[in-house]
């Protein structure tokens, strides 16, 4: 390490280094162990002359603080890793549960496939749910009611009868209108 | 000594801390280490005024810097870095005293027991002289290194470190250019640093 660098360091700690040289020097103090040692020694000299030396080996503090901060860092990383693993396990669990439900439906013959899907141009798609078994129709109605801000209330639905189609897509549910028609039995 | 207009360059010294703090905020741990190296003596001395046990004082001082590191993003620079650190240190020291008062029984021993208190005092007395001896040796080495310096180097560093004069004020006092003052202070520090190096390792 050059004398010039250490002289800059000495001026810097006295607040006498030109501002344009400070930034680079700070980076060097952080990067160079030797410069850091000089920085430490110069401050100890100043503290001793001003009678500010601590009773004891204060120079042990910096490595102790460094170790303590190092110990905390991996713990946070392992917590993050634990979080990732937990999320992955949860996703796998949900996927397994869904798979088991589908298998059970296949086993009981309750899997429903829409009878016909007609693209009508634009964003609108017409799906014929007429062939859907009763539990599916019931779920479908609940879904449409819960997700349509302009839709009819469950009480209203109970008294209605007639239409057999549900319109899905961006074109459905115009503000102020009836929204998506719930599926009727 | 020639009469001088003493100007302490406090603002610029604060600027040095500000630059280090900015680097710490950007994630530079080594910059934080530089701040610890700079303030560890003062923090430990301050904490030791509240916490008498040397080991506990070290623990509290360590905690001060860890708290400072964690809270550094909240340091806006409205006050000097040391003022901020000082507040953390005083709070940590007071908390340590409070905790000791609330938990008088430690490790199954009643510290209020006069006999045990005596044992503990002796244990502390055994560890303290070693530490005090070390500090004394450090002071003596620095003192003798200063005595051995050429007079112009000795005067320059004493005006800077004890009187707190700016380089310009020292240049005026010593009737020499500021560049010479800069060089003299550096040479003085470097010579003393070489002498204390074995004690700091």
């Amino acid at each position: 390490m050059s004398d010039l660098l250490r002289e800059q360091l000495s001026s810097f700690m006295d607040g006498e280094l030109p501002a344009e040289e400070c930034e680079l020097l700070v980076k060097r103090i952080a990067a160079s162990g030797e410069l850091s040692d000089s920085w430490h020694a110069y401050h100890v000299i100043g503290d001793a002359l001003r009678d500010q030396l601590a009773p004891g080996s204060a120079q042990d503090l910096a490595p102790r603080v460094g170790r303590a901060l190092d110990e905390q860092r991996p713990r946070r990383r392992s917590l993050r890793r634990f979080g990732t693993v937990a999320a992955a396990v949860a996703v796998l669990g949900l996927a397994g549960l869904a798979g088991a439900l589908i298998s059970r439906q296949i086993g009981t013959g309750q899997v429903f496939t829409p009878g016909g899907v007609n693209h009508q141009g634009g964003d609108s798609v017409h799906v014929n749910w007429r062939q859907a078994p009763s539990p599916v129709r019931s779920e479908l109605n609940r879904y449409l009611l819960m997700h349509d801000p302009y839709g009819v209330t469950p009480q209203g639905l109970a008294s209605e009868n007639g239409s057999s189609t549900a319109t899905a897509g961006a074109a459905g549910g115009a503000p102020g209108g009836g929204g998506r028609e719930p599926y009727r039995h | 000594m020639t009469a001088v207009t003493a100007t302490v360059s406090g603002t610029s010294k604060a600027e040095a801390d500000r630059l280090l703090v900015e680097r710490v905020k950007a994630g530079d741990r080594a910059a934080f280490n530089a701040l610890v190296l700079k303030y560890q003596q003062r923090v430990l001395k301050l904490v030791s005024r509240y916490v008498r046990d040397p080991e506990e004082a070290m623990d509290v001082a360590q905690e001060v810097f860890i708290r400072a590191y964690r809270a550094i993003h909240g340091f806006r620079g409205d006050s000097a870095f040391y003022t901020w650190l000082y507040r953390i240190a005083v709070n940590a020291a007071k908390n340590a005293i409070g905790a000791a008062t609330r938990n008088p029984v430690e490790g199954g021993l009643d510290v209020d027991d006069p006999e045990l208190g005596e044992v503990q005092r002796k244990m502390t007395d055994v560890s303290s002289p070693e530490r005090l001896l070390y500090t004394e040796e450090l002071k003596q080495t620095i003192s003798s290194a200063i005595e051995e310096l050429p007079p112009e180097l000795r005067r320059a560093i004493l005006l800077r470190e004890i009187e707190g004069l700016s380089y310009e004020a020292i240049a005026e006092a010593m009737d020499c250019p500021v560049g010479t003052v800069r060089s003299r202070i550096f040479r003085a520090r470097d010579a003393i640093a070489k002498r204390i190096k074995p004690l700091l390792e």
Side-chain angles (χ1 to χ4, degrees):
Chain A
M1 186 181 42
S2 70
D3 281 5
L4 179 66
L5 264 181
R6 292 202 308 282
E7 186 170 330
Q8 279 187 328
L9 185 73
S10 170
S11 302
F12 175 67
M13 62 178 277
D14 290 332
E16 298 275 0
L17 191 68
E20 63 274 15
E21 294 173 35
C22 289
E23 195 80 37
L24 184 61
L25 186 74
V26 167
K27 283 182 189 166
R28 283 180 165 154
I29 296 169
S32 158
E34 273 184 77
L35 207 56
S36 180
D37 287 347
S38 297
W39 168 261
H40 177 207
Y42 294 174
H43 279 291
V44 167
I45 294 164
D47 288 333
L49 289 172
R50 289 186 298 273
D51 200 23
Q52 287 176 329
L53 280 186
S57 41
Q59 71 273 9
D60 293 345
L61 258 178
R64 276 176 63 150
V65 170
R67 278 195 299 273
L69 292 174
D70 282 342
E71 281 166 14
Q72 285 171 5
R73 201 186 278 175
R75 203 180 307 154
R76 238 179 271 136
R77 259 207 303 267
S78 64
L79 273 177
R80 244 200 324 265
R81 197 175 302 141
F82 173 77
T84 310
V85 170
V89 167
V91 167
L92 284 173
L94 282 173
L97 185 66
L101 282 172
I102 289 168
S103 302
R104 206 170 59 192
Q105 283 186 334
I106 289 169
T108 55
Q110 288 183 329
V111 178
F112 168 67
T113 310
V117 178
N118 301 315
H119 290 271
Q120 297 188 325
D123 296 323
S124 190
V125 174
H126 242 75
V127 181
N128 186 359
W129 298 102
R130 191 182 292 277
Q131 296 145 346
S134 180
V136 175
R137 286 199 304 264
S138 164
E139 280 302 309
L140 184 62
N141 275 335
R142 195 174 305 131
Y143 176 84
L144 289 172
L145 285 169
M146 296 299 285
H147 293 82
D148 191 345
Y150 303 106
V152 292
T153 61
Q155 290 79 12
L157 176 68
S159 63
E160 288 182 54
N161 277 312
S163 173
S164 62
T165 56
T167 305
R180 292 184 186 87
E181 270 184 60
Y183 180 79
R184 281 143 190 152
H185 299 270
Chain B
M1 187 195 294
T2 317
V4 289
T5 48
T7 51
V8 180
S9 52
T11 312
S12 309
K13 286 186 90 170
E15 180 66 11
D17 282 357
R18 192 192 63 78
L19 284 168
L20 286 168
V21 168
E22 287 307 313
R23 286 202 64 81
V24 179
K25 284 182 177 178
D28 188 342
R29 269 276 304 281
F32 186 70
N33 188 53
L35 285 167
V36 178
L37 288 172
K38 180 173 181 178
Y39 290 113
Q40 60 189 2
Q41 295 284 347
R42 271 192 262 179
V43 166
L44 184 59
K45 185 165 188 174
L46 173 64
V47 168
S48 298
R49 282 191 210 136
Y50 293 84
V51 182
R52 301 299 296 274
D53 177 69
E55 277 307 319
E56 200 186 340
M58 280 291 276
D59 288 345
V60 174
Q62 177 185 319
E63 184 59 27
V64 169
F65 285 111
I66 289 168
R67 281 190 202 179
Y69 183 76
R70 285 189 192 140
I72 202 136
H73 288 280
F75 173 66
R76 296 191 306 271
D78 297 337
S79 60
F81 177 74
Y82 183 67
T83 309
W84 182 71
L85 193 63
Y86 177 93
R87 281 193 216 115
I88 296 175
V90 170
N91 286 337
K94 284 180 177 172
N95 286 345
I97 295 170
T101 314
R102 281 192 300 274
N103 306 308
V105 179
E106 287 178 357
L109 299 177
D110 183 357
V111 293
D112 287 335
D113 183 328
E115 282 186 35
L116 287 173
E118 183 62 26
V119 171
Q120 198 178 42
R121 202 162 28 251
K122 278 179 183 167
M123 284 167 72
T124 307
D125 287 347
V126 168
S127 61
S128 294
E130 284 175 9
R131 291 170 180 277
L132 290 173
L133 196 68
Y134 170 79
T135 309
E136 207 48 48
E137 192 181 355
L138 196 55
K139 276 186 195 169
Q140 284 296 326
T141 309
I142 291 169
S143 183
S144 63
I146 283 177
E147 287 303 312
E148 289 164 22
L149 288 174
E152 67 277 11
L153 266 59
R154 183 167 60 239
R155 192 170 170 211
I157 195 163
L158 293 180
L159 284 173
R160 172 64 226 161
E161 294 288 14
I162 297 176
E163 304 298 329
L165 300 191
S166 69
Y167 285 8
E168 201 179 334
I170 297 169
E172 201 179 325
M174 296 184 74
D175 197 20
C176 67
V178 168
T180 306
V181 170
R182 186 187 313 276
S183 168
R184 284 176 180 171
I185 291 174
F186 159 63
R187 280 156 54 206
R189 280 185 175 137
D190 218 41
I192 305 165
K194 283 189 176 83
R195 290 283 299 276
I196 62 169
K197 195 181 172 192
L199 292 171
L200 297 180
E201 280 170 349

